[in-house]
């Protein structure tokens, strides 16, 4: 794993742990970015190509996301370099070993992310008791099953269209990454009248200007297929979703998929960032200059972590959904109105909102960061 970390600043990181156990094949990292507001919550990403830099940037995104959402938690993240498709018994051993390695570090509460799910969280709970994103039958609110992040993103979009020159009814929608976030975002947005005209996953893409059948696509994915197997529409290369004309484009896969070298390919009016850090800073500026509204990741995709925090506090599924709707609508409105009034990027407005809360908490702590 590439272990180079970005430069530290006054917000963090608070703690960086490198984890290795060759007997089990564990190589991973935990970055606890900031715990001034409370113990950090952040997912465990399991993928072959994860890096320390990705972990640190995602941990910072969690600090901002948790603060913006008003949760009593700081930000952290973990990565494990491994194949998410490994046999279940090996995965269980790996995650149990990971959990044992962080047993005594109470500054980090793990949750699910790409490559890990509710079953993985149940193994972690069995090892160390401290986890969010548990299965239903273990007292959890299964956030990916109920589509907490896609639900929140939809409410963020419902507010954002008031700042755009189109209506949600009939708006063309493209989703990059038809996984837990992407498929539920498609489902909820289409219930509000959007039309899904393109979708992709790691194996390919599909497009149909007349609209794809979202429920059928979800069934195809749940059955282990690819969106490219959909019976109607045109099968495309994975990255061709960048070129599909639409009103709403949702990145819901990997970091840095929109960059200076490809940002000119997007033909859209609104980008709602379902994935974490999907867009480079320069590309986000280019989009703003072209009049595209960009909803920052840590505002638009906070539904999952809000659900996790409600679960951790012993709340119910209904309370989680109500909290997500309320916080996402309020924050999106605040960020977009500040952005418009002060002529700054939505991300700058969102960062100001979140860092103000983190700094206020730091000013009240004896040692600043903790
Ligand atoms: P997931 O593993 O369920 O789904 C990811 C999907 O992206 C899969 O369908 C995969 O095939 C596809 N994919 C991978 N690489 C791709 C590529 N290059 N092009 C197109 N598709 C690609 O993961 P998820 O939980 O949906 O998370 C997706 C993103 O959203 C991640 O960045 C994650 O950090 C972020 N996120 C997730 C949640 C959540 O609640 N699950 C919350 C906030 C943010």
């Amino acid at each position: 794993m590439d272990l180079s970390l970005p430069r530290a600043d006054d917000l963090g990181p608070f703690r960086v742990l490198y984890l290795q156990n060759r007997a089990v094949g564990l190589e991973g990292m935990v970055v606890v970015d900031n715990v001034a507001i409370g113990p950090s919550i952040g997912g465990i990403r399991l993928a072959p190509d994860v890096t320390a830099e990705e972990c640190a940037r995602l941990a910072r995104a969690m600090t901002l996301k948790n603060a913006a959402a008003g949760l009593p938690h700081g930000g952290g993240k973990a990565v494990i370099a491994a194949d998410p498709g490994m046999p279940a018994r090996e995965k269980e051993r790996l995650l149990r070993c990971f959990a044992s390695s962080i047993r005594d570090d109470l500054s980090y509460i793990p949750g699910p992310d790409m490559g890990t799910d509710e079953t993985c969280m149940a193994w972690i709970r069995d090892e160390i008791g401290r986890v969010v994103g548990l299965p239903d039958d273990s007292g959890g609110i299964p956030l990916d099953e109920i589509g907490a992040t896609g639900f929140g993103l939809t409410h963020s979009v419902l507010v954002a269209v008031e700042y755009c020159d189109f209506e949600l009814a009939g708006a063309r929608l493209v989703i990059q990454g038809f996984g837990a976030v992407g498929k539920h975002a498609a489902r909820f947005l289409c219930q509000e009248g959007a039309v899904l005209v393109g979708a992709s996953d790691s194996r390919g893409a599909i497009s149909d200007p007349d609209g794809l059948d979202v429920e059928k696509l979800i069934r195809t994915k749940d059955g282990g297929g690819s969106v490219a197997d959909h019976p109607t529409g045109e099968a495309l290369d994975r990255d061709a979703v960048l070129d599909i004309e639409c009103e709403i484009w949702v990145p819901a896969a990997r970091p840095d998929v929109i960059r200076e070298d490809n940002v000119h390919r997007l033909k859209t009016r609104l980008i709602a960032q379902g994935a974490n850090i999907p867009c480079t800073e320069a590309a986000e500026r280019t989009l703003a200059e072209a009049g595209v509204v960009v909803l920052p990741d840590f505002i638009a995709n906070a539904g999952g972590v809000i659900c996790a925090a409600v679960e951790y506090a012993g709340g119910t599924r209904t309370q989680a959904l109500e909290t997500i709707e309320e916080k996402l609508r309020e924050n999106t409105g605040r960020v977009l109105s500040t952005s418009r009034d002060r002529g700054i990027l939505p991300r700058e407005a969102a960062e100001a909102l979140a860092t103000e809360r983190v700094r206020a908490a730091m000013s009240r702590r004896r040692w600043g960061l903790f």
Side-chain angles (χ1 to χ4, degrees), residues 86-205:
M86 68 173 66
R89 285 177 75 91
E90 263 178 54
K91 198 167 185 174
E92 179 173 350
R93 232 162 88 85
L94 187 66
L95 282 153
R96 285 185 182 276
C97 180
F98 168 84
S100 300
S101 327
I102 60 160
R103 184 183 306 280
D104 299 323
D105 194 337
L106 304 182
S107 67
Y108 175 59
I109 303 164
D113 189 57
M114 282 176 79
T116 57
D117 60 13
E118 286 122 13
T119 307
C120 300
M121 299 307 117
W123 295 327
I124 293 174
R125 190 188 45 194
D126 187 42
E127 290 295 325
I128 62 170
R130 192 177 76 245
V131 75
V132 292
L134 285 163
D136 224 356
D137 54 15
S138 306
I141 309 173
L143 60 93
D144 280 342
E145 200 181 298
I146 65 173
T149 303
F151 174 77
L153 185 129
T154 301
H155 282 286
S156 195
V157 167
L158 280 162
V159 173
V161 287
E162 292 165 22
Y163 294 78
C164 298
D165 53 4
F166 65 88
E167 309 254 305
L168 189 50
R172 292 166 297 174
L173 167 70
V174 171
I175 306 268
Q176 181 193 49
F178 211 71
V181 174
K183 67 185 179 191
H184 288 293
R187 187 162 65 83
F188 289 119
L189 282 166
C190 291
Q191 278 167 14
E192 297 291 337
V195 180
L196 184 70
V197 296
S200 68
D201 58 27
S202 56
R203 288 180 275 165

Side-chain angles (χ1 to χ4, degrees), residues 33-102:
D33 184 55
N34 189 298
V35 288
I37 297 180
S40 70
I41 288 190
I44 305 168
R45 177 165 295 191
L46 195 151
D49 55 352
V50 287
T51 64
E53 194 203 346
E54 182 178 353
C55 190
R57 286 173 67 201
L58 291 166
R60 171 57 52 85
M62 290 309 297
T63 298
L64 300 178
K65 190 186 302 190
N66 295 346
L71 303 176
H73 293 286
K77 199 84 186 179
V79 294
I80 300 176
D83 173 8
M86 68 173 66
R89 285 177 75 91
E90 263 178 54
K91 198 167 185 174
E92 179 173 350
R93 232 162 88 85
L94 187 66
L95 282 153
R96 285 185 182 276
C97 180
F98 168 84
S100 300
S101 327
I102 60 160

Side-chain angles (χ1 to χ4, degrees), residues 10-11 36-37 63-64 67-68 298 334 338 342 348-364:
D10 63 320
L11 293 185
I37 297 180
T63 298
L64 300 178
F298 66 89
R334 272 179 76 164
T338 306
R342 292 180 39 200
E348 290 167 333
E351 277 175 4
L353 169 81
T355 50
E356 202 178 292
R357 289 180 185 168
V358 176
R359 285 186 207 288
M362 287 169 75
S363 74
R364 293 190 290 265

Side-chain angles (χ1 to χ4, degrees), residues 211-262:
L212 296 155
D213 184 330
V214 177
E215 294 303 331
K216 241 187 214 163
L217 266 187
I218 293 177
R219 280 199 297 278
T220 306
K221 279 295 285 181
D222 290 349
S226 161
V227 291
D229 304 332
H230 192 66
T232 62
E234 186 188 355
L236 302 167
D237 284 346
R238 188 185 71 185
D239 294 340
V241 278
L242 281 164
D243 306 302
I244 302 174
E245 199 171 330
C246 61
E247 279 69 46
I248 307 169
W249 203 85
V250 177
R254 301 283 293 155
D256 293 338
V257 291
I258 309 170
R259 306 171 303 270
E260 279 162 286
D261 63 311
N262 65 11

